[in-house]
């Protein structure tokens, strides 16, 4: 970890205790995907918002950490509009349009997590009403800026197979002398290789992988069926193709899924794990898949790799072989603007290809 990231991690750890418990939970949820620097920006954005809430009398809490979820549930659109005006009125504090959009986006991410992902002990959403879902945020970053942040942090064509080989076989060589870790690897390597292979050969999101059921896989047609949003935000099952390269990994995993993970007959989840203290396998969690990828990536020498960057690695390679609109459809992007980052990522590759000698 470089000096800046180390400093930001320390600052993040210093500030987190002053946050409400649900913000701490959200930050820990995002930890596998985002750098300490990005998470610190989230916390700073929440500090700005919570201080404003207290100053406006929209909470009775005297400290940020004591602001209850109910105060967020009871916010009206009028309050959010007032907060936007407050941010706009303080442009002298470096609140550019980009910064304002980021602060609102940070809030929307928190509210989305609390209303759509996090659950209480009775499996109900932590946040029953999400006012931020009504807030429209204009995109201010350009695709080339996103591409610049990703450049050098993805697997190139030859590295994709090298990484898969490492997960399938070579990781064992790094566990010499650690019998417990080696036993765990031998137990899960077929499953782990299958998950990583499927992402690298289809570009699926981690949430789509988590939600896959056995019946969603069609090996003959090389299709998996996943839930994706349509134009009107309606969610429906849609077919997503995967490459032939993933077929063998899927076959091997399906052969051992029931016996290796003691799958109950009623368990439909494709990817299973046996939790500590349990005898039967159950659906793998998003966090488990994220941590699994990070574990292999660090040993492989690519510590910046994450599930999302595996998806980007596939998309960059796919875009080189196809076009913008096919890539957009394969990835399930709502807008071609999102997909344009791969055009910028592949610019250098295309520049090299123009002068490549013709094969005789």
């Amino acid at each position: 970890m470089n000096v800046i990231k180390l400093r930001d991690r320390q600052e993040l750890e210093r500030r987190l205790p002053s946050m409400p418990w649900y913000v701490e939970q959200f930050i820990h949820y995002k930890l596998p995907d985002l750098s300490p620097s990005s998470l610190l920006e989230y916390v700073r954005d929440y500090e700005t918002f919570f201080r404003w809430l207290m100053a406006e009398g929209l909470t009775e809490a005297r400290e940020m950490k004591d602001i209850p979820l109910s105060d967020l549930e009871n916010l009206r659109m009028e309050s959010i509009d007032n907060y936007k005006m407050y941010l706009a009125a303080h442009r002298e504090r470096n609140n550019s349009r980009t910064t304002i959009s980021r602060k609102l986006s940070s809030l929307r991410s928190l509210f989305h997590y609390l209303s759509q992902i996090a659950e209480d002990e009775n499996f109900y959403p932590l946040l029953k009403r999400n006012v931020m879902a009504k807030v429209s945020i204009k995109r201010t970053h350009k695709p080339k800026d996103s591409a610049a942040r990703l450049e050098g942090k993805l697997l190139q064509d030859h590295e994709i197979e090298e990484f898969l080989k490492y997960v399938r076989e070579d990781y064992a060589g790094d566990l010499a002398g650690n019998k417990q870790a080696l036993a765990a690897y031998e137990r899960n390597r077929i499953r782990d290789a299958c998950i990583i292979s499927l992402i690298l050969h289809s570009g699926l999101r981690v949430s789509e992988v988590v939600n896959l059921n056995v019946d969603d896989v069609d090996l003959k047609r090389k299709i998996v069926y996943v839930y994706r949003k349509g134009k009107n935000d309606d969610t429906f099952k849609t077919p997503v193709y995967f490459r032939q390269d993933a077929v063998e990994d899927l076959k091997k995993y399906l052969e051992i899924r029931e016996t290796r993970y003691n799958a109950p007959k009623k368990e439909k989840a494709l990817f299973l794990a046996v939790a500590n203290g349990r005898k039967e396998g159950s659906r793998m969690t998003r966090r488990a898949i994220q941590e699994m990828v990070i574990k292999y990536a660090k040993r492989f020498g690519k510590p910046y790799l994450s599930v999302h960057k595996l998806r980007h690695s596939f998309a960059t390679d796919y875009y080189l072989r196809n076009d913008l609109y096919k890539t957009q459809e394969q990835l399930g992007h709502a807008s071609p603007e999102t997909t344009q980052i791969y055009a910028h990522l592949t610019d250098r590759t295309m520049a090299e290809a123009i002068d490549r000698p013709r094969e005789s």
Side-chain angles (χ1 to χ4, degrees):
M1 184 178 293
N2 63 34
V3 175
I4 295 175
K5 286 187 177 180
L6 180 60
R7 183 198 64 197
D8 286 346
R9 178 180 284 278
Q10 291 170 343
E11 182 66 11
L12 179 66
E13 291 172 353
R14 186 184 71 81
R15 288 176 181 248
L16 260 185
S18 68
M19 289 283 100
W21 64 269
Y22 47 85
V23 172
E24 285 198 65
Q25 184 172 311
F26 170 71
I27 294 298
H28 287 131
Y29 168 77
K30 298 294 285 185
L31 196 56
D33 283 337
L34 298 177
S35 69
S37 304
S38 297
L39 294 173
L40 181 58
E41 286 301 317
Y42 271 116
V43 170
R44 285 172 174 155
D45 291 342
Y46 300 148
E47 286 176 349
T48 302
F49 177 67
F50 289 142
R51 286 197 185 105
W52 178 83
L53 278 185
M54 292 190 289
E56 292 293 309
L58 294 172
T59 177
E60 294 181 1
R62 294 187 177 183
E63 295 185 31
M64 285 187 289
K65 66 179 181 180
D66 296 326
I67 296 176
L69 278 167
S70 56
D71 286 346
L72 304 188
E73 280 183 344
N74 294 328
L75 285 172
R76 297 179 179 275
M77 270 303 299
E78 180 184 1
S79 298
I80 301 301
D81 289 338
N82 288 338
Y83 181 59
K84 289 164 71 174
M85 287 190 287
Y86 164 79
L87 293 175
H90 291 79
R91 290 242 175 104
E92 67 274 12
R93 297 182 185 176
N94 296 321
N95 275 347
S96 64
R97 289 182 180 179
T98 300
T99 304
I100 292 172
S101 292
R102 193 206 67 225
K103 288 180 184 294
L104 293 173
S105 182
S106 295
L107 271 185
R108 193 160 67 172
S109 295
L110 173 64
F111 278 61
H112 173 78
Y113 167 76
L114 295 173
S115 64
Q116 299 294 322
I117 299 172
E119 299 174 337
D120 61 20
E121 63 274 9
N122 296 314
F123 306 107
Y124 289 109
L126 289 181
L127 196 69
K128 309 301 187 293
R129 177 178 167 275
N130 179 5
V131 68
M132 289 302 298
K134 303 175 183 178
V135 178
S136 176
I137 302 173
K138 292 182 179 179
R139 298 182 64 142
T140 56
H141 65 275
K142 298 178 181 179
K144 67 177 182 180
D145 296 330
S146 298
R149 289 195 293 270
L150 288 171
E151 191 169 354
K153 295 181 179 180
L154 306 181
L155 294 173
Q156 303 303 314
D157 50 359
H158 66 282
E159 291 176 323
I160 289 176
E161 193 52 45
E162 287 175 7
F163 184 51
L164 282 169
K165 182 177 181 296
Y166 180 78
V167 176
R168 291 179 187 127
E169 305 168 11
D170 298 345
Y171 182 72
D174 288 337
L175 300 177
N178 190 336
K179 292 183 179 180
Q180 186 175 357
L182 185 59
Y185 167 66
E186 288 298 335
R187 176 181 178 81
N188 295 314
R189 67 183 181 87
I190 294 176
R191 179 202 66 190
D192 295 352
C194 182
I195 292 172
I196 292 173
S197 177
L198 184 59
I199 296 170
L200 282 171
H201 293 306
S202 68
L204 290 177
R205 299 177 175 91
V206 64
S207 58
E208 293 168 346
V209 175
V210 168
N211 291 321
L212 279 174
N213 292 330
V214 175
D215 294 341
D216 294 329
V217 182
D218 186 335
L219 287 174
K220 289 184 179 179
R221 297 173 64 197
K222 293 180 289 186
I223 285 175
V224 289
Y225 291 90
V226 302
Y227 284 100
R228 282 182 173 171
K229 283 187 179 181
K231 292 182 179 179
N232 298 318
D233 278 351
D234 295 325
T235 303
F236 60 97
K237 270 199 171 182
T238 184
V240 177
Y241 288 90
F242 55 85
R243 289 173 172 161
Q244 179 66 34
D245 305 65
V247 172
E248 196 60 34
D249 288 302
L250 277 162
K251 284 181 177 178
K252 287 180 180 179
Y253 171 68
L254 288 170
E255 286 174 1
I256 58 99
R257 173 186 171 274
E258 290 187 21
T259 54
R260 182 74 53 88
Y261 297 97
N262 196 20
K265 289 184 178 180
K266 63 180 181 180
E267 182 55 77
K268 298 179 180 180
L270 175 60
F271 294 113
L272 303 175
V274 180
N276 290 335
R278 298 287 183 89
K279 293 183 179 179
E280 294 182 331
S282 58
R283 188 181 299 272
M284 280 189 82
T285 64
R286 179 191 183 108
R287 179 176 290 277
I289 292 177
Q290 289 169 329
E291 290 178 348
M292 177 266 290
V293 170
I294 290 170
K295 174 186 72 175
Y296 289 116
K298 285 181 177 178
R299 291 277 192 166
F300 184 67
K302 303 276 187 179
Y304 43 76
L305 271 181
S306 63
V307 177
H308 204 58
K309 288 189 175 69
L310 295 184
R311 172 173 155 88
H312 282 313
S313 297
F314 163 82
T316 305
D317 182 65
Y318 186 89
Y319 178 80
L320 275 171
R321 307 181 192 206
N322 295 280
D323 59 38
L324 182 72
Y325 296 102
K326 284 182 181 177
T327 307
Q328 178 190 351
E329 185 176 355
Q330 176 71 21
L331 297 176
H333 286 160
S335 166
E337 182 183 351
T338 307
T339 318
Q340 283 173 359
I341 66 170
Y342 305 111
H344 295 284
L345 275 167
T346 55
D347 274 351
R348 187 173 62 183
T349 307
M350 299 298 284
E352 292 170 354
I354 196 72
D355 288 321
R356 190 175 296 153
R358 287 186 297 177
E359 295 181 5
S360 56

